Amino acid sequence: MTTGEKIAKCRKEKYLTQTQLAEELGVTRQAVSRWESDLAFPETDNLLKMSKLFGVSMDWILKYDESAHTEPENRIIKFDLKNFCLEYKSKTHLGKLPLVHVNIGIGKTAKGVFAFGLTSIGIVSFGLMSLGIISFGLLCLGLISFASISGGVFAFGGVALGCMAFGGLAIGIYSVGGCAIGLFAVGGYANAYYVAIGDVAVGQIAVGKSSASGTVIEILLPQYEEMKPELYQRLDEIPKFWSLFTNLSKKYIEFFVLNS
């Protein structure tokens, strides 16, 4: 902390406004504002007055002796039983983010490379509500997310929305779930624009166990071997842009047939 930051911190701890502190010291409010912004430096007599008023040493204000006053902001772990909050922030940083930030409490947000909290934001985040490249929680958004309700490029959850979604209800380009909806869908009930694979399948190409409704081709399991050549021909007619998902569908069809 700079000298200005320390003056501002101590003033707030005493519940003083800049004007009230200025009156205590016999200076203008603008002078206090400039000190706290580190645009000017207090004279020695004002430093002495503030030392007595705040109950700290001049050395601490001047940063000569950090041990003269323990700063709450610099404590490794903060626990506030009254407000039911716990915070830990690692000293190691990656850029401006602490490597680990735990901030658990109502209205608190954890922000770090690894973030843990009711609400968390980080590269890897854990929380009831989390946002990160990899996120875990009740409600998550991320490149890869795992949650009851999740959204991301890869989403796993009770309700999952993403490029590739896996969940009880999965909605995505390639979706796998009890109820799966997407361009390519695999599930108990699968509804897809291109390929649907499941117990009940609806799509242009539909492969089902008990029911299949396809606008281009529909196959029930007993018909699979007989219609396999036509099925693969139809799959190969899907635009090459979707070849990754088409190939995944081919692999899953084989798996589906072998395990049904």
Side-chain angles (χ1 to χ4, degrees):
M1 294 176 71
T2 65
T3 294
E5 288 171 337
K6 290 182 179 182
I7 293 172
K9 172 188 172 300
C10 290
R11 172 179 61 77
K12 292 173 183 177
E13 287 180 349
K14 290 289 185 180
Y15 301 100
L16 296 174
T17 64
Q18 288 185 341
T19 299
Q20 289 170 331
L21 177 58
E23 291 174 352
E24 289 279 349
L25 301 176
V27 297
T28 65
R29 186 199 63 79
Q30 288 79 5
V32 174
S33 176
R34 288 174 63 82
W35 296 344
E36 293 184 356
S37 302
D38 291 307
L39 297 176
F41 199 77
E43 295 180 354
T44 303
D45 61 333
N46 288 321
L47 286 169
L48 182 59
K49 291 177 183 178
M50 284 189 286
S51 172
K52 293 178 179 178
L53 177 63
F54 298 145
V56 298
S57 70
M58 286 181 61
D59 283 343
W60 179 75
I61 297 176
L62 296 171
K63 300 175 68 175
Y64 292 151
D65 182 10
E66 289 291 336
S67 64
H69 185 85
T70 302
E71 301 171 64
E73 288 81 1
N74 283 340
R75 287 187 298 180
I76 295 177
I77 298 177
K78 294 191 291 182
F79 180 60
D80 185 344
L81 181 61
K82 180 180 178 181
N83 295 309
F84 299 100
C85 64
L86 170 68
E87 182 176 12
Y88 164 82
K89 186 181 291 185
S90 66
K91 293 182 179 180
T92 304
H93 282 61
L94 182 63
K96 293 184 178 181
L97 288 175
L99 181 62
V100 177
H101 188 198
V102 179
N103 199 4
I104 301 172
I106 303 299
K108 302 292 184 180
T109 300
K111 298 179 181 179
V113 177
F114 293 90
F116 304 80
L118 298 182
T119 303
S120 60
I121 301 172
I123 294 176
V124 180
S125 61
F126 303 80
L128 294 180
M129 298 179 62
S130 64
L131 174 65
I133 294 177
I134 301 175
S135 58
F136 302 82
L138 182 65
L139 174 60
C140 295
L141 294 174
L143 179 63
I144 302 174
S145 61
F146 304 83
S148 295
I149 301 175
S150 66
V153 176
F154 298 91
F156 304 81
V159 177
L161 300 92
C163 179
M164 298 189 70
F166 305 82
L169 170 60
I171 302 174
I173 293 176
Y174 196 93
S175 55
V176 180
C179 178
I181 301 171
L183 293 180
F184 300 81
V186 178
Y189 169 73
N191 190 323
Y193 178 79
Y194 283 124
V195 182
I197 308 162
D199 187 43
V200 178
V202 179
Q204 290 186 33
I205 298 172
V207 180
K209 184 177 181 180
S210 60
S211 175
S213 177
T215 57
V216 175
I217 183 174
E218 58 185 41
I219 300 174
L220 292 176
L221 291 184
Q223 306 169 306
Y224 174 71
E225 291 299 332
E226 177 187 350
M227 300 186 67
K228 182 176 178 180
E230 183 182 355
L231 169 63
Y232 275 74
Q233 179 184 342
R234 295 298 186 182
L235 289 170
D236 290 337
E237 291 173 357
I238 294 175
K240 296 298 182 183
F241 180 82
W242 302 111
S243 60
L244 169 63
F245 303 112
T246 302
N247 290 333
L248 285 172
S249 296
K250 289 179 180 178
K251 292 182 182 298
Y252 192 83
I253 288 172
E254 297 289 344
F255 175 82
F256 181 63
V257 171
L258 289 173
N259 291 275
S260 295

